[in-house]
Amino acid sequence: MQFPESWLRSFCNPDLTTQQLADLLTMAGLEVEELDPVAPPFTGVVVGHVLEVSKHPDADRLNVCKVDAGTGSILQIVCGAPNVRPGIKVPCATVGAELPPGADGKVFKIKLGKLRGVESQGMLCSARELGISEEANGLHILPEDAPLGQNIRDYLKLDDTLFTLKLTPNLAHCLSVQGIAREVSALTGAPLTLPEVAPVKPTIDATIPVKVDAPDLCGRFVGRVIQGVNPQAKTPDWMVERLARCGQRPVSPLVDISNYVMFELGQPSHVFDLDKIHGGLTVRWAKAGETLKLLNGQTVTLDEQVGVIADDNQVESLAGVMGGDATAVGDDTRNVYLEAAFWWPSAIAGRARRYNFSTDASHRFERGVDAAPTADYLERITQLILDICGGQAGPVVDQVVAQPKREPVTLRLSRAQRVIGMPVTLAQCQQVFQRLGLSYSTQAAGDDTHLIVTPPSWRFDLQIEEDLIEEVVRVIGFEQLPKRAPKAPVVSRVRPEAQRGVYAVRRSVAQRGYQETINFSFVEERWEADFAGNTQAIRVLNPIASQLSVMRSTLIGSLVEVLRTNLARKADRVRVFELGRVFKRDASVQDGNQTVAGFDQPVRVSGLAYGPADAQQWGVSARQVDFFDVKGDVEALLAPRQATFVAAEHPAFHPGRCANVLVDGAVVGVVGELHPKWRQAYDLPQAPVLFELDAQVLTQRAVPAFTSVPKMQSVFRDLALVVTDTTPHDAVIAAITGAKTDGLVRGARLFDIYKPKAPVAGMADNERSLAVRIEMRDDEQTLNDERIDQCIKQVIDAVGQAVGGRVRA
C-alpha cells in the first residue's frame, strides 16, 4: 500500500514528524517498508511564463525563448524541447539553481552561458529533469493558473513523502488512506476528519434490472445509472497527483475517479458503458466453457468456481477482479452504470492468480471490504463523476443479500495481563476500545472482569480473544512492555545413544557423494500419478502456482525434476538427495501438536544417482552407475543394521530392477532403476537409480555391546555350489548360515559366479556355479579336520534340502 503523507495528514494530522509517524505505524503492526521523497532535492526552480519563441540562428533544433519568471526582468533562455510554444507556463530554473544529479551523480548547476553563440539565462525543465517523473518527451507544462514566480516545490507540493506499507493479510481495513488515518487517530488521539458524503439527489428515473443469483458470491450489490457524462473531461490535477503518488497511472476521468475512491475509502467499484449492456445484469457463478475478454486484453476461459456479472447475452465482468472489454468506457461513452458491491472473500481468493495476474480490487476483496458503507461510497463516486464529468444521476438500487455478522468477542482482563506480561487496567482496555471505535460492555466474573466487544463492520480480523489482546498492547505501545529476561529453566535434552539426529543423517548421505536439494512440498499432479501411482493426491485449496496443485507422497518426482534441471545445464554426473516430509491420507491419524487428523506426514530420505559411477580418472575404466552401486549406498547408510533386499514392483521403477529394503523383517524403503517409460516421458538420456527410505529408521542406531576378542582362529573353506539360475543368492546364504552346525558357521560370502558358455559335464543349461567362502570358528577350542569336514557336510546337506544345490564336481 503506497500513499503520500500529505493525503494521510488531510484525514488525520498528528503532531509528529515524518519519521516519528513511520515509527509509530511500524510499532503498531503496519510496517513502513519504505519512505521515499516525492522529488529529489533541487533549488531555484520557479513557475515561468513563455512569452515569445523564435528559432535559433545557428541551430535548427533550438529555440530562443523570452520568459517571465517573476524576477522583474524578462529572461532569454535557449531551449530544445519540441513542445515549447508561446503562452505556456513551465518550470524555469534560474541562474544559480541546482537540479537533481544526472547520470554522473553530480549536482547540475545552472550558470549564465551561451549556446551556439546565443546567451541563455536559465533553463526550462521537463518532469524528468526535476526527478518527478520518467517522462522525457518535452517540457512539463503547468496549468494556466499557476502563480508566476512561485517556487515549483511549493506549487507542486514536492516536499512530500511516499509511505509504502507492508501489510499482513489480516489488515484489510488499512488498504485505504481512510483506514490508515483511522489507525493513526486511534494511536495518537489526533482528530479524524473524513470526507463528507452527502446523498446525490436523483434527477432521472433510469435504472437497469439486477438479479443476484449467488448469495455465496455477492452479499450486497449497489448500482445506479448516470446519463450524459463527458468521458473526455480532464481529470483534476489534484486527483492525478494523488493517484500518481499511489503508483496509479491516470487513464480517463471515469476510471480515475473509481480508482481514487478505492485508494481513499477502500471500496473498489466498476464503471460500465450502459449502452453496451444488453438487458439486465445477473450476478452468478460462471458456467464451464464461458469466455471473457478482460480490460487488460487477456481472454480467459471460466468455470463454475469463478464469479461473474453477466448481461442477457454474455459475461461482462469477472466479479471482484476485473471488468470486461466489451462494456469498457471510452471516448464515445455517454451513459454509464456505476457498480459497487460486497464480494465474499472466499469467493474472490485465488481467482485472479489462476489467470496469472492480480488487481487492486481482488487484493482488497479477498482480504475483506467493509460492506456497511457500500452505498455511501457509491454516493461519493457519483458526486465526483457529476462534478468532473457532468451528467444526471438515477436512483441508487441497493440489494442487500447477506452481510457479514460480527460476533461478540470476550476479553478477560486477567488473561490480557498474563499474555501481555505487564499489569493492564480496565480503564486502559476501555480507552483502547473507544479509540479504535469498538463498542463494548463490561461484565464482572468473580475476581475477574470481562469485556464483551462487538467488532465494527470494517474489522474482519477481530475474531478471538487474542486478537483483542493484540489491539490493547499495540495501542498502548509495544515499547511499554517491560524488558526482562525469561525465567524459564533451560534444560538440555540428551538424545538417546541409540538415536541420531536428522542432521547426522544428512551428513551421512553427503559423505556418500550426494548433494542435498530442497524442494517444494507442492508438486505437479502428474508426478504423483507417475511415480507413486497416486490418483487421489491431497489437493491444495489455494496453490501458489497452477502446476503446484497437490501435496507430494514421494520425493522421487522432485529429484527427477532436479536431475532434468542439471542435465539442461550440461551436467553429466548427478548425485542428489533430499530429506523432507511426504503427505499421505491415513484415517488412523488423530489431531495432535504435530499431526492433522486423517493425514500422515512421515519424513523420508531419497537419493538419485545418474551418470558415471566415478568421476573420470585414469585408474578405473568408466562405467555407468547401476542398481548395485546405490544398493551399496543404502547398506552403508543403514549400517551397522543389516538390510535385506527383496525383489518388488513399484510404479516408478523398472520391474526387474527394483527391490524393497527390509530391516528386521519390516519394509523401510525401496531402491531401483527408473522405469523406461518414465525415462522416455521425462526426456532422460539414461535411467537414474533412486532410493527412498524412512528417515526414522536411519536415525536409529544399535548401541555397541561388548564382546571379547576371539581366542581361536577362524577356519575358511570354499565351496562351489551348483544351483539353478533362478535360485536367489539370499536363499543360498540363508541355507548355509542356517545349517545345524552348533554355531560353527560364522559367515558366508559369495566371491565368484561361473556360468559356462558351452555345455559342461555335470551342469545343466539352466544351472550355474556359486563360489562361496565359509567362515567357521569355535570360541572354546581349535577346530580339527574331523569337525571341519563334519560342518561342511552339514552345510552341503542343508543347501541341498533348501535349494536343491550340490557341490560342483
Side-chain angles (χ1 to χ4, degrees):
M1 175 66 185
Q2 178 179 302
F3 60 92
E5 180 184 2
S6 59
W7 197 359
L8 173 63
R9 289 188 181 273
S10 69
F11 282 84
C12 181
N13 190 12
D15 187 18
L16 299 173
T17 65
T18 299
Q19 189 60 52
Q20 288 173 335
L21 180 58
D23 294 341
L24 175 73
L25 290 172
T26 298
M27 289 303 296
L30 285 71
E31 180 184 353
V32 178
E33 193 172 24
E34 289 184 72
L35 287 177
D36 296 315
V38 169
F42 61 83
T43 60
V45 182
V46 298
V47 176
H49 185 203
V50 180
L51 303 176
E52 298 178 10
V53 177
S54 59
K55 286 293 183 181
H56 192 289
D58 294 327
D60 293 339
R61 296 186 178 181
L62 296 179
N63 296 292
V64 180
C65 306
K66 300 296 184 180
V67 180
D68 184 0
T71 59
S73 60
I74 304 302
L75 304 179
Q76 176 176 283
I77 299 176
V78 179
C79 176
N83 62 339
V84 65
R85 62 183 185 273
I88 62 173
K89 290 185 177 180
V90 295
C92 177
T94 57
V95 174
E98 294 185 353
L99 298 186
D104 58 358
K106 297 180 180 179
V107 175
F108 185 67
K109 295 184 178 180
I110 303 299
K111 300 177 181 178
L112 184 66
K114 290 185 177 182
L115 290 175
R116 295 287 187 94
V118 177
E119 185 178 78
S120 182
Q121 300 169 332
M123 174 180 173
L124 303 183
C125 304
S126 67
R128 187 173 185 177
E129 289 165 338
L130 297 179
I132 60 177
S133 173
E134 291 299 319
E135 295 182 6
N137 55 355
L139 300 177
H140 182 58
I141 299 178
L142 303 173
E144 295 180 359
D145 60 353
L148 186 66
Q150 183 177 6
N151 189 307
I152 203 72
R153 299 193 69 91
D154 297 336
Y155 177 70
L156 295 179
K157 299 181 176 62
L158 299 182
D159 294 321
D160 199 356
T161 303
L162 298 181
F163 277 60
T164 302
L165 302 189
K166 186 178 181 181
L167 298 175
T168 52
N170 64 309
L171 297 176
H173 62 287
C174 293
L175 287 170
S176 66
V177 178
Q178 172 186 265
I180 299 167
R182 190 187 286 124
E183 289 291 308
V184 172
S185 177
L187 294 168
T188 63
L192 179 65
T193 304
L194 299 178
E196 295 183 3
V197 180
V200 175
K201 185 177 180 180
T203 55
I204 58 175
D205 297 329
T207 62
I208 63 172
V210 177
K211 182 171 60 173
V212 179
D213 284 347
D216 55 341
L217 167 65
C218 179
R220 187 176 185 182
F221 194 94
V222 187
R224 84 185 319 163
V225 171
I226 304 178
Q227 296 180 345
V229 299
N230 177 16
Q232 298 184 13
K234 186 177 183 298
T235 305
D237 291 334
W238 58 268
M239 183 177 289
V240 171
E241 172 196 298
R242 285 182 171 177
L243 285 174
R245 293 179 185 181
C246 289
Q248 194 72 30
R249 179 179 59 86
V251 179
S252 67
L254 292 171
V255 176
D256 294 343
I257 292 168
S258 176
N259 289 334
Y260 179 83
V261 175
M262 179 180 66
F263 284 108
E264 180 185 49
L265 305 178
Q267 172 66 54
S269 58
H270 186 62
V271 183
F272 295 86
D273 188 323
L274 180 63
D275 299 326
K276 298 177 182 178
I277 298 176
H278 307 91
L281 295 177
T282 302
V283 178
R284 59 174 174 82
W285 294 104
K287 300 173 183 176
E290 287 185 314
T291 60
L292 171 65
K293 184 178 181 181
L294 299 170
L295 289 172
N296 61 4
Q298 179 180 353
T299 299
V300 297
T301 302
L302 311 175
D303 58 31
E304 297 87 344
Q305 302 298 317
V306 179
V308 298
I309 302 175
D311 61 17
D312 293 346
N313 291 355
Q314 61 186 3
V315 176
E316 300 294 1
S317 175
L318 204 58
V321 179
M322 184 182 290
D325 182 69
T327 54
V329 295
D331 291 343
D332 58 347
T333 299
R334 292 296 175 265
N335 306 309
V336 300
Y337 180 73
L338 183 59
E339 166 264 315
F342 168 74
W343 307 99
W344 292 102
S346 59
I348 305 301
R351 270 56 174 190
R353 286 193 297 276
R354 69 161 55 185
Y355 299 117
N356 297 320
F357 66 84
S358 180
T359 64
D360 290 317
S362 65
H363 183 77
R364 285 161 174 77
F365 279 127
E366 65 186 6
R367 285 159 174 77
V369 171
D370 187 4
T374 306
D376 294 336
Y377 293 164
L378 191 79
E379 298 283 7
R380 170 69 169 161
I381 301 170
T382 301
Q383 188 61 61
L384 288 172
I385 290 177
L386 297 180
D387 291 344
I388 297 171
C389 302
Q392 295 178 303
V396 173
V397 178
D398 187 358
Q399 297 188 57
V400 179
V401 182
Q403 294 193 141
K405 294 182 179 179
R406 297 289 179 264
E407 299 295 336
V409 183
T410 300
L411 172 69
R412 294 167 291 175
L413 188 60
S414 59
R415 169 73 174 166
Q417 293 173 344
R418 187 163 63 253
V419 172
I420 294 174
M422 70 177 186
V424 177
T425 65
L426 176 62
Q428 285 179 303
C429 294
Q430 291 174 329
Q431 184 182 19
V432 167
F433 296 151
Q434 290 171 0
R435 290 163 64 176
L436 290 172
L438 310 181
S439 60
Y440 65 91
S441 61
T442 306
Q443 179 180 330
D447 296 336
D448 201 359
T449 302
H450 293 180
L451 286 88
I452 296 88
V453 178
T454 302
S457 60
W458 64 83
R459 293 304 298 268
F460 282 75
D461 57 316
L462 301 182
Q463 299 178 0
I464 60 176
E465 184 177 22
E466 282 71 14
D467 295 332
L468 296 179
I469 295 174
E470 179 186 359
E471 296 300 301
V472 171
V473 68
R474 75 184 185 91
V475 173
I476 291 177
F478 289 111
E479 65 278 3
Q480 302 298 325
L481 293 174
K483 297 182 177 67
R484 55 173 180 264
K487 296 182 179 180
V490 178
V491 180
S492 61
R493 296 180 60 186
V494 180
R495 181 178 289 114
E497 190 177 356
Q499 186 179 4
R500 62 175 177 173
V502 292
Y503 289 100
V505 174
R506 285 189 172 97
R507 288 191 289 270
S508 296
V509 184
Q511 287 170 359
R512 303 297 302 173
Y514 293 79
Q515 292 182 311
E516 185 175 12
T517 65
I518 300 175
N519 301 291
F520 279 122
S521 295
F522 317 125
V523 297
E524 293 186 31
E525 191 170 4
R526 174 191 175 190
W527 296 358
E528 281 297 294
D530 292 351
F531 300 125
N534 183 10
T535 58
Q536 300 294 326
I538 302 171
R539 303 195 67 82
V540 181
L541 295 180
N542 189 16
I544 59 175
S546 58
Q547 69 273 20
L548 305 178
S549 58
V550 301
M551 304 296 292
R552 63 185 180 185
S553 63
T554 177
L555 304 178
I556 294 174
S558 301
L559 294 183
V560 170
E561 184 62 23
V562 171
L563 171 62
R564 295 181 64 195
T565 301
N566 280 271
L567 292 179
R569 287 155 179 78
K570 306 302 181 182
D572 62 342
R573 185 174 185 272
V574 178
R575 299 290 188 279
V576 291
F577 81 96
E578 181 177 7
L579 188 151
R581 291 193 181 276
V582 297
F583 304 86
K584 302 180 178 181
R585 299 183 189 276
D586 188 345
S588 64
V589 178
Q590 303 297 320
D591 271 326
N593 292 335
Q594 296 181 339
T595 59
V596 177
F599 299 96
D600 188 21
Q601 306 175 56
V603 179
R604 294 280 190 265
V605 178
S606 186
L608 178 147
Y610 175 90
D614 295 298
Q616 187 174 9
Q617 57 163 304
W618 63 271
V620 179
S621 300
R623 66 176 181 84
Q624 297 297 312
V625 68
D626 59 21
F627 173 90
F628 297 100
D629 293 316
V630 178
K631 175 176 176 285
D633 291 336
V634 172
E635 289 177 324
L637 293 175
L638 291 169
R641 305 181 73 180
Q642 295 295 320
T644 57
F645 299 82
V646 179
E649 292 187 2
H650 189 281
F653 297 134
H654 192 298
R657 302 174 187 176
C658 171
N660 283 335
V661 183
L662 281 70
V663 174
D664 299 332
V667 177
V668 299
V670 63
V671 58
E673 181 182 299
L674 191 68
H675 200 291
K677 65 180 179 181
W678 304 138
R679 180 190 66 78
Q680 184 177 6
Y682 288 86
D683 298 324
L684 302 177
Q686 302 169 16
V689 184
L690 302 100
F691 69 85
E692 185 166 281
L693 302 173
D694 185 354
Q696 185 176 2
V697 176
L698 291 175
T699 61
Q700 297 172 359
R701 313 294 287 171
V703 178
F706 170 77
T707 57
S708 60
V709 178
K711 299 178 181 179
M712 305 300 171
Q713 290 184 346
S714 296
V715 176
F716 297 91
R717 292 290 185 270
D718 295 342
L719 287 179
L721 301 173
V722 177
V723 295
T724 61
D725 291 338
T726 59
T727 301
H729 159 268
D730 287 351
V732 176
I733 300 299
I736 295 173
T737 56
K740 297 180 180 180
T741 60
D742 296 330
L744 294 184
V745 174
R746 298 304 177 93
R749 181 177 294 276
L750 176 70
F751 66 88
D752 187 36
I753 300 176
Y754 172 66
K755 178 70 176 177
K757 297 181 180 179
V760 176
M763 288 183 64
D765 292 342
N766 65 338
E767 291 183 328
R768 58 181 175 175
S769 173
L770 304 181
V772 181
R773 177 159 295 174
I774 301 173
E775 179 185 4
M776 295 169 286
R777 187 178 69 245
D778 187 337
D779 292 335
E780 301 298 330
Q781 56 182 323
T782 303
L783 293 177
N784 53 33
D785 290 341
E786 181 180 355
R787 295 188 66 190
I788 293 172
D789 293 342
Q790 179 64 25
C791 181
I792 293 298
K793 181 179 183 303
Q794 292 170 338
V795 167
I796 295 172
D797 292 342
V799 171
Q801 293 175 4
V803 298
R806 65 183 185 278
V807 177
R808 180 180 163 196

